Amino acid sequence: MASEALTRLAEERVDHRFKGLPPDADGLTVGELAAQRRNLFTGGFTTPVLALSAERLEHNLRLMETYATRHGLAFAPHGKTSMAPWLFRRQIEHGAWGITVAVPHQARVARAFGVQRVFLANELVDPAALRWVSGRLDADDDFRFVCYVDSVRGVELMDAALRGARRSLDVVVELAAGEGARTGVRTDAECAAVADAVAATRTLRLVGVAGYEGEVPRADPGRVRAWLERLVALAAGFDGAGRFSAADEIVVSAGGSAWFDAVAEVFAHIPDLSRPVLKLLRSGAYVSHDDGHYRRLTPFNRVPEEGALEPAFRLWTQVVSRPSAGQAFVNAGKRDAAYDLDLPVAQVVRRDGAERPATGIEVTALSDQHAWLRTAPEADLEVGDWLGLGLSHPCTSFDKWQLIPLAEADGTVVDYIRTFF
């Protein structure tokens, strides 16, 4: 990755744009502030402030690197989870093949920070975006970009926008997860028609098949495996028909954060094809994991012998009102915490430097800038206390914060993670 671009992030000045950072740090560069190694609880940080655990982040990075290697999978974690180039670099250092994105803006961020392999898990039909991609491909023979196609019309639009390009654009046919699922081609006949449309162009090169098993209707292990086996059969059928004759390798890609064990199991039995197969997993939420949705759904619950991800986010808030024995309010709400899948969970209370479990404290609702707390008789909570909340859904946690402290277990902040949403 481009170290110069990452270095420039450390040269950015800290100011009012970044929530939760110490007011007396205004004017320092991010690198200068990181070098001070301030403590999250005593170093002037203001609430609410979202922190990412340095130790748990490292654990999660290592665990998924080990998992992918063990199962013979290439790994392109979905960048839309964090949109943090600092984390992209760490993921690539931990063996990632490249970074997955969903829309042109995300691809531009990845490329600006030197990501050399980008997988765009969507059909790309915007002429301006296609011309941008083509320009990057033509300028750098080492840059690889792959995206979905899921319609003949889409192929026609892509072809029209790319005429005159020096390099063809690599595409994979997206197989829908089923009737009523999200995007993708529904039938084998339609898949063949899309592949034929690609073959009729000079601007596109068919290199594989892909999809997202997380959209399988009424998903369970049997239904997910059946869809993955259909994806593999599609790849084998295309290969047998000579549809990958222009490809150097055949891409077969799937894998969100809920079913990657099924992906590993089915992809282990991909038959020998005419070219090497890139078995590409795209899970993204693992990097921070969570205390709700993905804690319940993670495949490691089904294969505990392979390890366990650790929730790495904690949102620190402060009690600003205690109007009755059964109610309290803290100063973080929808602007600060993920709430699309689950409400935050009260985990720990800090007072006078001591930390204890948040016994008898429950988040019942969020306003824009407040969390509503129900407090049982055993709850020991006062105005001024810090309350640490666990969050559900990494994607909608990262996107509310532009600069996130990376903190060690004792509260020492060792770095800051810049996001680009």
Side-chain angles (χ1 to χ4, degrees):
M1 290 184 63
S3 58
E4 303 85 5
L6 289 166
T7 298
R8 286 195 294 274
L9 289 184
E11 295 169 352
E12 190 168 15
R13 296 287 173 182
V14 173
D15 58 25
H16 59 276
R17 293 170 294 164
F18 305 122
K19 298 189 294 184
L21 299 192
D24 66 354
D26 280 7
L28 296 176
T29 68
V30 171
E32 289 168 343
L33 180 57
Q36 292 182 355
R37 296 177 65 85
R38 296 197 187 195
N39 188 277
L40 190 68
F41 308 111
T42 61
F45 291 84
T46 63
T47 57
V49 60
L50 180 69
L52 189 64
S53 163
E55 296 88 352
R56 292 185 170 200
L57 170 65
E58 185 64 24
H59 168 85
N60 293 342
L61 290 167
R62 289 184 182 277
L63 180 62
M64 285 304 293
E65 178 184 20
T66 299
Y67 185 88
T69 300
R70 180 185 298 131
H71 291 281
L73 300 170
F75 190 29
H78 212 314
K80 58 96 175 173
T81 298
S82 71
M83 286 309 298
W86 189 95
L87 288 174
F88 296 172
R89 178 184 65 180
R90 298 293 293 123
Q91 290 170 313
I92 289 170
E93 288 172 348
H94 279 277
W97 171 91
I99 297 294
T100 297
V101 298
V103 293
H105 158 70
Q106 295 168 1
R108 292 185 64 199
V109 172
R111 189 62 188 142
F113 288 89
V115 176
Q116 283 292 89
R117 296 182 182 135
V118 174
F119 186 102
L120 194 145
N122 227 334
E123 185 166 67
L124 182 59
V125 295
D126 183 297
L130 286 163
R131 288 192 293 269
W132 174 83
V133 171
S134 180
R136 304 290 82 71
L137 289 169
D138 286 353
D140 184 354
D141 286 341
D142 293 327
F143 177 46
R144 184 160 188 206
F145 183 93
V146 182
C147 72
Y148 286 175
V149 287
D150 88 338
S151 64
V152 172
R153 173 62 174 160
V155 170
E156 293 169 348
L157 291 171
M158 296 173 79
D159 181 48
L162 292 169
R163 285 176 189 167
R166 182 175 66 84
R167 289 175 62 187
S168 58
L169 178 65
D170 287 349
V171 296
V172 292
V173 171
E174 182 193 7
L175 178 67
E179 287 300 323
R182 200 164 60 189
T183 55
V185 186
R186 265 45 179 177
T187 70
D188 289 349
E190 290 172 314
C191 287
V194 173
D196 286 342
V198 171
T201 74
R202 292 186 176 182
T203 58
L204 304 177
R205 179 173 71 156
L206 185 65
V207 299
V209 298
Y212 175 47
E213 76 290 342
E215 281 289 308
V216 169
R218 303 180 306 283
D220 62 24
R223 289 188 178 95
V224 169
R225 287 189 182 91
W227 179 82
L228 287 164
E229 288 166 356
R230 186 181 167 208
L231 182 70
V232 169
L234 180 65
F238 274 10
D239 188 47
R243 296 188 185 278
F244 299 131
S245 59
D248 300 317
E249 64 183 357
I250 298 170
V251 178
V252 183
S253 180
S257 296
W259 295 104
F260 54 74
D261 58 332
V263 174
E265 179 183 333
V266 174
F267 281 15
H269 300 289
I270 293 177
D272 290 337
L273 301 180
S274 65
R275 284 155 178 73
V277 178
L278 183 72
K279 304 172 183 179
L280 193 62
L281 182 70
R282 306 192 309 271
S283 312
Y286 82 98
V287 69
S288 67
H289 199 44
D290 73 7
D291 283 293
H293 182 74
Y294 286 107
R295 171 173 264 180
R296 295 189 297 272
L297 294 184
T298 176
F300 288 114
N301 292 337
R302 296 186 290 272
V303 287
E305 67 277 8
E306 300 233 38
L309 294 167
E310 296 179 352
F313 268 141
R314 182 163 284 170
L315 177 61
W316 287 99
T317 68
Q318 197 164 22
V319 180
V320 293
S321 181
R322 190 80 161 96
S324 70
Q327 193 174 42
F329 293 86
V330 293
N331 63 346
K334 294 178 181 178
R335 307 295 187 191
D336 314 296
Y339 60 92
D340 55 320
L341 296 179
D342 299 291
L343 288 173
V345 178
Q347 293 182 321
V348 293
V349 176
R350 285 187 65 91
R351 183 189 301 160
D352 299 328
E355 195 170 294
R356 63 181 185 280
T359 305
I361 302 170
E362 178 187 5
V363 178
T364 59
L366 294 181
S367 300
D368 284 352
Q369 301 293 175
H370 293 91
W372 297 57
L373 308 181
R374 180 186 295 127
T375 53
E378 66 270 24
D380 179 12
L381 197 65
E382 297 178 355
V383 169
D385 288 347
W386 281 39
L387 180 67
L389 301 176
L391 303 177
S392 181
H393 199 185
C395 301
T396 51
S397 299
F398 276 105
D399 70 359
K400 295 172 176 59
W401 296 83
Q402 293 186 65
L403 200 59
I404 302 170
L406 182 68
E408 294 179 338
D410 65 357
T412 302
V413 177
V414 295
D415 216 330
Y416 296 82
I417 298 172
R418 184 73 155 94
T419 64
F420 292 86
F421 284 95

